[in-house]
Amino acid sequence: MGVNDFAKLPHIGESLKRKEDGRFLTGAGQYTDDIRQADQKYAAFVRSPHAHAVIKHVDTSQAAAMPGVMRVFTGADMQGKMGGLPCGWLISNPDGSPMKEPPHPILAHTKVRHVGDQVALVVADTPEQAKNAAEAVQVDYDVLAPVIDMRRASQGPALHEEAPDNHCYTWTLGDKAAVDAAFATAAHVTQLDITNNRLIPNAIEPRAVNAAYHRASDEYVIHVANQNPHVERLLMTAFVLQLPEHKVRVIAPDVGGGFGSKIFLYAEDVALTWAARQLGCAIKWTAERSESFVSDAHGRDHITHAEMAMDKDGKFLAMRVHTHANMGAYLSTFSTCVPTILYGTLLAGQYATPQIYVEVDAWFTSTAPVDAYRGAGRPEATYVVERLVTRAAWEMGLAQDEIRKRNFVTQFPYQTPVALQYDTGDYHACMNQAQQLADVAGYQARKQTSQAKGLKRGIGYSSYIEACGLAPSNIAGALGARAGLFECGEVRVHPTGSVTVFTGSHSHGQGHETTFAQVVAARLGIDPSQVDVVHGDTGRVPFGMGTYGSRSLAVGGAAIMKALDKIEAKAKKIAAHLMEASDADIEFSGGQFKVKGTDKTIPFAQVALTAYVPHNYPLDTLEPGLNETAFYDPTNFTYPAGTYICEVEIDPATGVVRVDRFTAVDDFGVIINPMIVEGQVHGGVAQGMGQALMEHGVYDVESGQLLTGSYMDYAMPRAADFPEFTLGHVCTPCTHNPIGSKGCGEAGAIGSPPAVINAVLDALKELGVKDLDMPATPARVWHTIQTAKV
């Protein structure tokens, strides 16, 4: 079935209400913290109050003697009994040497390297007893100077012996000589220094794990708030605990958001799994919000110098980028590919820039590890490109839209100078629709109205592109990936014609139980209510890679489509037998099998029943049952793209920025459920605005303390901070997956930050302001205005 035919099927493009919302809205959802085992015990962690220190001695005697305490474990108890947390992506330096990959211990043994580093694990009968005992553990530290500013990391004390200058790797991409030659002949060069601020994820459900060991079967069952349970099991069993994989079952039940921060294997998951066997009981730990701030993987944190070379007409000739990327104290699961493979390869943006060269230096610092956060590398790349393009427009005397239109890619497929090949797109269509929906023609009148009120109004553009799906496996492997990037789907048709789908993708807010059901129902001609979707349980679903990188529908949905192809092929053989025809003459649509050129038909339900009640059935040539599994490994990334336009009003007397209008036009290819897609865009834009205007993870340079360790200091956006979003869609179907979809979960967080900041800077231009780092808080905006007056 072709993409165009699929897109016309019933239920495709229909805004069905989410099937899963019934249990969530009535309090019937089951999260990890809701699960209580018969022999349930509870854990608390002793965490370092210092950013960098030698552990001289850990005294657990007082804690171990407290009521209800079963055991206190330290790093010494685990030494030699397990490996450290692995990094899933190997990055090589330009000379071919591998990155520095120091150990990441489950519990710190000789040294702590960031505030919140795990030092000891307390297991007790109740959460209160565990927490009280954790406070009684005495740790003698020899405090060392922290390394906070990555620009000066090479001058600070070494966090790891393996990296004496705190340098992890240098990574490059592009033809440096060709780029330098283009700059030498350019009519104009625009330069920009950019900081992409550190973010702290803050999913509504904190991380949690409940690990149990069953002695009779020698098996582990781990409930965990995680986005990819199969990968969690693989990393834990193969690299850390060296356990037989089939003896470990990982279940990710309902998960309250992840945004990337729940992709990774964390030390707490391993520690509880190991301790469960030592003590012969189930152990639960749920992070308190203060723990999440210091122990969850953070996002972003780049410092970049970027340059664009242009001819006299504003056509891009070459781009040159150097980025310092903060890895934090340790390498998290996918941390190394975020500022490289997922960043440098997207620096072409939507533009036909002939030559691009990027160099990235990654550094260890005394901060929480940094890894993927909604968009993962793509927001950082888009922010660099779109800020640079807007600055270039102003310097060249061009409008923000005009410089973009002059440089858009128009012919597809398009091979970028940074490795990727875009298969399809229509960037002019996205721009034109965005300008119409944003009423750009009326902007000057709105600006005059703001001026009359003593306010400054600005408009900002952002034309983003992202690469989704993280594929194919063979290319990813050549680039350093230590895992495959396929997905698996199993379709099980029951005798009555209802269907259960088992998917390796994981839903933690995306609505898979609805959209996947729509895909299956559309193909089989049944109602979506007859389709159940099972995910998140390694004991029930085939091996899959989970959910991240906006890959669920484009990769996981494609695997389901391939399984449905097998279902249809077998069902046609059964139908042919029932109607005494050749299976080559059987057509299937709308839930009916028909013999070509006749009026003979039978419904799908009858074929399903026959598969399981094979009376008068050719068992010698056709097996009973109707159950198929398929794996799908994409041949390319998918490339969602779009244009966002933001208008802001700024009070120059206070520095307060108000987003007045926001328009987002996206090309996600074929859309299964528009309502769910709109919700994803709304959420992404909200997070992007949060980064642009208020969110910022800040560490004290002298002490290494996290200064924004609670909601008192880390500002999160609220509903009142947003205008009504105006959304539009363009559709150029993906050319290489059977659904034609591209992915939508991260786009809003990718395209919105530069649109907001470009609008802020546009509003402040007449006051002499040339640049401003995120977040554009009232204090920062006001101070920038005052500085510009001097």
Side-chain angles (χ1 to χ4, degrees):
M1 175 177 289
V3 168
N4 290 334
D5 291 333
F6 171 75
K8 296 174 184 176
L9 292 175
H11 308 304
I12 302 303
E14 185 177 346
S15 291
L16 294 182
K17 292 182 179 179
R18 300 199 332 165
K19 298 175 67 175
E20 48 269 75
D21 281 352
R23 69 176 184 273
F24 295 143
L25 293 173
T26 58
Q30 188 175 57
Y31 299 86
T32 298
D33 191 60
D34 294 323
I35 295 165
R36 180 181 172 87
Q37 309 283 7
D39 56 347
Q40 190 70 69
K41 306 299 179 183
Y42 298 87
F45 286 89
V46 178
R47 299 186 182 275
S48 171
H50 304 293
H52 190 199
V54 172
I55 299 174
K56 297 174 67 177
H57 179 66
V58 181
D59 183 356
T60 64
S61 58
Q62 181 180 347
M66 293 179 69
V69 173
M70 294 188 67
R71 184 78 179 270
V72 181
F73 297 101
T74 68
D77 296 313
M78 297 182 177
Q79 279 295 105
K81 299 175 183 176
M82 64 186 71
L85 295 181
C87 179
W89 206 293
L90 173 66
I91 296 297
S92 297
N93 293 294
D95 63 4
S97 61
M99 65 188 186
K100 301 295 194 311
E101 194 171 358
H104 187 172
I106 305 305
L107 293 179
H109 178 45
T110 59
K111 199 178 192 183
V112 292
R113 296 176 174 88
H114 69 94
V115 172
D117 213 352
Q118 298 85 219
V119 177
L121 165 64
V122 178
V123 181
D125 292 335
T126 70
E128 293 75 17
Q129 290 171 333
K131 293 173 187 176
N132 290 339
E135 293 180 359
V137 174
Q138 300 296 314
V139 185
D140 186 9
Y141 295 100
D142 184 4
V143 179
L144 305 173
V147 179
I148 301 299
D149 186 346
M150 59 181 155
R151 292 168 296 186
R152 296 179 177 84
S154 63
Q155 304 163 26
L159 298 181
H160 303 276
E161 293 180 1
E162 295 79 3
D165 57 357
N166 294 314
H167 188 248
C168 183
Y169 61 76
T170 296
W171 179 86
T172 63
L173 180 64
D175 188 334
K176 186 178 187 300
V179 167
D180 291 344
F183 270 85
T185 61
H188 182 81
V189 173
T190 292
Q191 301 186 48
L192 193 61
D193 291 298
I194 294 172
T195 297
N196 203 297
N197 43 318
R198 177 181 283 244
L199 302 177
I200 302 174
N202 284 293
I204 194 169
E205 178 204 19
R207 285 192 295 120
V209 59
N210 193 341
Y213 173 70
H214 302 289
R215 188 173 59 181
S217 59
D218 191 29
E219 292 179 331
Y220 300 80
V221 177
I222 307 161
H223 289 83
V224 62
N226 186 271
Q227 297 176 217
N228 47 1
H230 274 289
V231 175
E232 165 117 350
R233 181 176 72 166
L234 174 63
L235 295 176
M236 186 185 296
T237 57
F239 294 96
V240 187
L241 295 178
Q242 287 81 48
L243 298 171
E245 193 172 1
H246 69 285
K247 289 292 187 180
V248 178
R249 180 181 180 184
V250 176
I251 303 170
D254 291 326
V255 174
F259 311 122
S261 68
K262 292 174 182 171
I263 296 173
F264 324 120
L265 176 64
Y266 283 95
E268 293 88 352
D269 307 352
V270 176
L272 263 67
T273 301
W274 179 81
R277 176 161 189 162
Q278 307 307 306
L279 301 178
C281 61
I283 308 172
K284 182 195 294 187
W285 168 78
T286 301
E288 295 187 347
R289 189 60 67 177
S290 58
E291 281 186 289
S292 296
F293 271 93
V294 298
S295 66
D296 287 4
H298 294 179
R300 315 289 192 253
D301 207 349
H302 286 189
I303 299 173
T304 295
H305 177 76
E307 301 173 305
M308 182 72 81
M310 292 164 282
D311 68 11
K312 62 182 178 59
D313 298 317
K315 290 282 287 185
F316 301 157
L317 302 176
M319 184 179 179
R320 190 160 52 198
V321 176
H322 181 268
T323 293
H324 293 284
N326 197 337
M327 296 286 98
Y330 304 102
L331 296 182
S332 181
T333 308
F334 293 115
S335 58
T336 51
C337 72
V338 173
T340 53
I341 308 304
L342 299 179
Y343 168 71
T345 57
L346 270 298
L347 287 171
Q350 296 187 12
Y351 310 110
T353 308
Q355 298 292 340
I356 299 172
Y357 176 76
V358 55
E359 184 173 308
V360 178
D361 282 297
W363 302 94
F364 293 108
T365 63
S366 308
T367 63
V370 178
D371 208 317
Y373 174 69
R374 199 169 191 169
R378 283 75 55 85
E380 295 91 319
T382 298
Y383 190 69
V384 170
V385 173
E386 291 306 295
R387 284 289 315 282
L388 189 62
V389 168
T390 287
R391 170 67 71 85
W394 291 335
E395 291 183 359
M396 294 290 287
L398 296 173
Q400 293 183 66
D401 61 328
E402 179 58 29
I403 196 170
R404 287 172 167 82
K405 292 175 181 178
R406 290 187 186 186
N407 289 282
F408 277 155
V409 172
T410 57
Q411 299 294 322
F412 296 91
Y414 174 75
Q415 179 62 53
T416 76
V418 279
L420 300 182
Q421 185 179 83
Y422 304 160
D423 62 330
T424 186
D426 191 339
Y427 308 146
H428 280 282
C430 290
M431 172 66 79
N432 294 338
Q433 187 181 144
Q435 290 186 298
Q436 181 181 4
L437 292 175
D439 185 25
V440 171
Y443 169 70
Q444 287 301 326
R446 293 190 293 274
K447 185 175 179 68
Q448 291 174 9
T449 300
S450 298
Q451 194 76 31
K453 296 185 292 184
L455 304 176
K456 301 298 181 183
R457 179 177 284 266
I459 188 169
Y461 283 72
S462 172
S463 295
Y464 78 92
I465 190 167
E466 59 168 323
C468 297
L470 296 186
S473 292
N474 58 343
I475 294 177
L479 295 173
R482 289 165 167 167
L485 294 171
F486 55 85
E487 196 48 84
C488 183
E490 178 186 349
V491 177
R492 184 179 301 173
V493 179
H494 301 290
T496 59
S498 61
V499 177
T500 300
V501 175
F502 300 86
T503 174
S505 299
H506 184 271
S507 181
H508 41 279
Q510 293 88 347
H512 294 171
E513 294 174 35
T514 304
T515 51
F516 285 173
Q518 287 179 251
V519 169
V520 174
R523 282 291 306 272
L524 299 182
I526 61 179
D527 191 84
S529 63
Q530 293 182 274
V531 183
D532 280 341
V533 177
V534 177
H535 59 90
D537 184 346
T538 63
R540 299 186 65 190
V541 303
F543 191 98
M545 297 305 296
T547 294
Y548 45 85
S550 300
R551 72 193 303 270
S552 296
L553 190 60
V555 185
I560 293 169
M561 285 284 281
K562 288 174 68 70
L564 287 166
D565 289 341
K566 295 180 181 181
I567 291 286
E568 182 176 326
K570 182 173 181 180
K572 282 181 176 179
K573 293 180 180 180
I574 298 172
H577 171 72
L578 292 175
M579 293 187 286
E580 299 180 335
S582 168
D583 56 327
D585 293 329
I586 301 298
E587 298 175 332
F588 178 62
S589 66
Q592 296 287 324
F593 294 90
K594 179 182 179 181
V595 180
K596 292 179 185 177
T598 74
D599 59 359
K600 283 186 175 181
T601 64
I602 58 173
F604 176 76
Q606 184 178 345
V607 170
L609 182 62
T610 302
Y612 291 95
V613 187
H615 300 164
N616 189 27
Y617 192 88
L619 292 172
D620 55 332
T621 60
L622 200 59
E623 292 180 351
L626 199 53
N627 185 358
E628 298 289 350
T629 299
F631 288 81
Y632 176 72
D633 198 331
T635 57
N636 193 1
F637 291 91
T638 63
Y639 298 99
T643 287
Y644 290 1
I645 301 176
C646 175
E647 285 186 38
V648 301
E649 274 191 335
I650 301 175
D651 184 347
T654 64
V656 171
V657 178
R658 183 178 70 86
V659 178
D660 184 55
R661 301 164 71 93
F662 196 96
T663 300
V665 174
D666 300 285
D667 178 1
F668 297 137
V670 175
I671 290 174
I672 305 300
N673 189 309
M675 179 191 70
I676 289 177
V677 168
E678 288 183 10
Q680 289 288 316
V681 174
H682 284 186
V685 169
Q687 284 182 279
M689 286 188 183
Q691 175 175 16
L693 297 176
M694 56 192 72
E695 295 186 51
H696 192 190
V698 180
Y699 284 87
D700 181 75
V701 175
E702 299 299 324
S703 68
Q705 294 295 321
L706 180 63
L707 301 179
T708 53
S710 75
Y711 293 136
M712 292 293 290
D713 301 295
Y714 188 88
M716 295 280 284
R718 302 181 181 183
D721 295 313
F722 309 119
E724 177 135 351
F725 302 137
T726 301
L727 306 185
H729 297 286
V730 168
C731 181
T732 61
C734 175
T735 62
H736 55 79
N737 74 52
I739 295 177
S741 64
K742 298 182 180 182
C744 70
E746 297 165 298
I750 293 169
S752 56
V756 173
I757 296 299
N758 284 338
V760 170
L761 290 170
D762 184 59
L764 299 178
K765 277 192 304 180
E766 61 192 69
L767 298 179
V769 173
K770 293 184 177 180
D771 204 5
L772 180 75
D773 282 331
M774 296 189 289
T777 61
R780 178 170 284 178
V781 171
W782 183 87
H783 179 75
T784 302
I785 293 171
Q786 306 313 308
T787 303
K789 291 178 180 178
V790 177

